[in-house]
């Protein structure tokens, strides 16, 4: 082995992904599977988007990318306006497709087909009927992150997206299986920060589910859960 080949090779530059979940959307409080459903932000969600934008105003952000669904686009627009940047739509940041479960609650699906729900929540190759598998979701968002790492080395970019894509990227960065997403909680209008290196999902999670800029979440209060 030559002296040159024995030396550690430089690691590729990372991109800092600021993963912004959209503000509260119609159906979120009931915890409906929105997926491809183009639900609008609620009045509260619009206010949350502005609060999120203010929280991110101090970051040196190069570009704001967004899912094409309006709940994410409206959130991205608030952030972009604060920063004086345009919003760049990316279809690969859309939410997971829940197929026939779209716009239904977990309780409704559980009552109708508990076996299918259990299979989806435990496996990576199982999709909701006519929907998308967790593994397919992970593949498309990892490909997106790799592309952005090559395009924005050593820069920070916002990805305005949804629970599924954000959790999928975090699980990939931490070396967790796609099913690990079911052990993570993301609040509306929260942000997480992930340093991502291309080719392999080598990343460092710096911030997760930051909500200090919002009113206290209901799950922080006794005997209540947050939708």
């Amino acid at each position: 082995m030559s002296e040159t080949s024995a030396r550690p090779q430089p690691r590729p530059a990372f991109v800092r992904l600021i993963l912004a979940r959209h503000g509260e959307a119609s159906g979120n409080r009931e915890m409906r599977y929105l997926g491809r459903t183009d639900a609008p932000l609620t009045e509260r969600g619009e206010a949350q988007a502005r609060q999120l934008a203010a929280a991110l105003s101090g970051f040196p952000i190069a570009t704001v990318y967004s899912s094409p669904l309006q709940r994410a686009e409206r959130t991205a627009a608030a952030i972009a306006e604060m920063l004086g940047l345009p919003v760049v739509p990316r279809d690969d940041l859309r939410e997971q497709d829940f197929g026939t479960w779209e716009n239904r609650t977990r309780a409704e699906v559980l009552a109708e087909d508990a076996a299918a729900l259990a299979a989806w929540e435990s496996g990576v190759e199982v999709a909701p009927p006519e929907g998308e598998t967790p593994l397919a979701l992970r593949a498309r968002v990892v490909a997106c992150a790799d592309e952005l790492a090559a395009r924005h080395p050593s820069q920070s970019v916002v990805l305005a997206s949804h629970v599924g894509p954000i959790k999928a990227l975090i699980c990939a960065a931490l070396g967790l299986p796609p099913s690990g997403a079911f052990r993570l909680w993301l609040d509306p209008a929260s942000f997480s920060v992930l340093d991502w290196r291309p080719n392999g999902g080598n990343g460092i999670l710096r911030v997760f589910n930051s909500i200090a800029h919002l009113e206290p979440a209901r799950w922080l209060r006794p005997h209540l859960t947050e939708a």
Side-chain angles (χ1 to χ4, degrees), residues 18-38:
I18 300 170
L19 306 171
R21 187 191 172 193
H22 60 78
E24 180 188 86
S26 177
N28 278 161
R29 282 192 164 240
E30 297 81 29
M31 299 188 73
R32 297 188 179 279
Y33 296 125
L34 295 181
R36 67 177 183 274
T37 301
D38 202 10

Side-chain angles (χ1 to χ4, degrees), residues 105-148:
T105 66
R106 183 180 184 278
E108 289 169 347
V109 174
L110 182 65
E112 181 177 299
D113 196 343
L117 181 66
W120 173 65
E121 291 182 342
S122 64
V124 298
E125 291 291 356
V126 178
E130 301 177 27
E132 182 180 25
T133 67
L135 196 60
L137 168 65
R138 179 162 169 158
R140 67 173 161 87
V141 295
V142 164
C144 173
D146 281 349
E147 179 188 329
L148 296 182

Side-chain angles (χ1 to χ4, degrees), residues 20 31 40 52 67 88-89 91 119 121 125 130 134 183 189 196 203:
M31 299 188 73
L52 175 58
S67 156
V88 181
D91 188 62
E121 291 182 342
E125 291 291 356
E130 301 177 27
R183 301 294 186 97
W196 182 276

Side-chain angles (χ1 to χ4, degrees), residues 34-112:
L34 295 181
R36 67 177 183 274
T37 301
D38 202 10
L41 292 180
T42 63
E43 183 177 346
R44 181 187 184 205
E46 294 278 2
Q48 289 175 333
R50 294 190 292 271
Q51 291 173 309
L52 175 58
L56 298 181
S57 62
F59 284 76
I61 293 166
T63 310
V64 177
Y65 294 98
S66 177
S67 156
L69 295 169
Q70 63 173 311
R71 57 192 185 273
E73 281 192 325
R74 290 286 296 172
T75 303
I79 298 168
E81 182 179 3
M82 179 73 70
L83 298 169
L85 294 170
V87 175
V88 181
R90 288 198 62 114
D91 188 62
D92 43 16
L93 294 178
R94 70 189 185 280
E95 181 58 288
Q96 179 178 2
D97 186 342
F98 289 105
T100 61
W101 296 352
E102 284 284 327
N103 216 25
R104 302 174 69 190
T105 66
R106 183 180 184 278
E108 289 169 347
V109 174
L110 182 65
E112 181 177 299

Side-chain angles (χ1 to χ4, degrees), residues 106-222:
R106 183 180 184 278
E108 289 169 347
V109 174
L110 182 65
E112 181 177 299
D113 196 343
L117 181 66
W120 173 65
E121 291 182 342
S122 64
V124 298
E125 291 291 356
V126 178
E130 301 177 27
E132 182 180 25
T133 67
L135 196 60
L137 168 65
R138 179 162 169 158
R140 67 173 161 87
V141 295
V142 164
C144 173
D146 281 349
E147 179 188 329
L148 296 182
R151 184 179 301 178
H152 298 283
S154 304
Q155 292 184 321
S156 297
V157 299
V158 169
L159 306 187
S161 190
H162 311 265
V163 166
I166 293 173
K167 287 183 177 182
L169 276 176
I170 289 171
C171 286
L174 298 180
L176 299 175
S179 59
F182 294 105
R183 301 294 186 97
L184 303 176
W185 177 271
L186 282 175
D187 286 282
S190 63
F191 72 89
S192 303
V193 179
L194 182 63
D195 291 349
W196 182 276
R197 298 183 193 276
N199 304 320
N202 185 357
I204 295 175
L205 182 63
R206 293 188 177 272
V207 177
F208 178 70
N209 195 43
S210 179
I211 55 171
H213 52 286
L214 302 172
E215 68 273 20
R218 290 173 61 206
W219 60 263
L220 291 171
R221 308 172 205 164

